[in-house]
Amino acid sequence: RQPLLRLRLFKDVFEALKQQPRYEIDRDFVLELIVMNMPQENYERVFETFSHWSRFGDLFVYDEDTEKISIADGLIEVGAKG
């Protein structure tokens, strides 16, 4: 988990999620981060890669039905450690 949280997109999403009462944000928020920080990249492809790595790293969960991203179980404790 920790190596992924050193990457800017993952770190920015994690920080945004921690600020939310239910620890969830809209997909559009992440797409905006991608567009603003990586304007020359295909934002849909980057989001898909982000979503796969988030799931693989057990960081975030993406619900396709609600288009919400939430923190995976146990990540808040990890994030609190550093």
Side-chain angles (χ1 to χ4, degrees):
R1 287 180 170 177
Q2 291 300 348
L4 284 175
L5 287 174
R6 290 188 195 115
L7 300 173
R8 181 173 182 172
L9 180 58
F10 290 89
K11 183 178 179 179
D12 289 349
V13 168
F14 182 56
E15 292 301 320
L17 284 164
K18 288 193 308 184
Q19 302 301 315
Q20 301 303 311
R22 297 184 62 204
Y23 301 116
E24 64 181 26
I25 56 175
D26 292 327
R27 175 182 186 266
D28 288 342
F29 177 82
V30 178
L31 291 175
E32 286 180 29
L33 284 175
I34 294 167
V35 169
M36 289 177 11
N37 293 301
M38 298 176 257
Q40 57 279 65
E41 299 295 330
N42 178 319
Y43 61 91
E44 290 287 349
R45 184 174 295 153
V46 172
F47 180 83
E48 185 176 321
T49 302
F50 166 81
S51 178
H52 290 298
W53 276 102
S54 295
R55 186 172 43 249
F56 177 77
D58 199 27
L59 294 173
F60 314 124
V61 177
Y62 175 58
D63 183 329
E64 291 184 17
D65 293 332
T66 63
E67 295 192 339
K68 298 276 187 191
I69 297 159
S70 58
I71 293 179
D73 291 338
L75 188 59
I76 289 298
E77 294 81 22
V78 171
K81 292 178 186 174

